[in-house]
Amino acid sequence: MAYKIEESCISCGACAPECPVNAIAQGDTIYVIDADTCIDCGSCASVCPVGAPVQE
Ligand code: SF4
Ligand code: SF4
């Protein structure tokens, strides 16, 4: 289980600094989560204004 950022991401950047394991990076169009690094804490989902990070 890991979080994944959906297409609704508006690339605001709020989630990346909240990730305790630095699993979030800016991708070509939206932000992306490295599923192998994500520890499923939910912090990104808590700060996202559009609810883009979802649990897979
Ligand atoms: Fe990082 Fe937690 Fe979001 Fe996973 S769920 S990407 S560990 S903030
Ligand atoms: Fe995208 Fe939400 Fe992260 Fe902002 S907080 S970059 S909208 S996933």
Side-chain angles (χ1 to χ4, degrees):
M1 292 284 282
Y3 275 75
K4 181 183 193 304
I5 295 175
E6 296 195 313
E7 297 292 327
S8 56
C9 170
I10 56 172
S11 294
C12 72
C15 56
E18 299 301 322
C19 181
V21 293
N22 286 319
I24 307 174
Q26 190 169 15
D28 289 338
T29 55
I30 60 173
Y31 273 63
V32 291
I33 292 172
D34 178 358
D36 291 332
T37 306
C38 175
I39 56 170
D40 218 24
C41 73
S43 292
C44 51
S46 297
V47 299
C48 180
V50 295
V54 294
Q55 211 164 21
E56 290 207 288

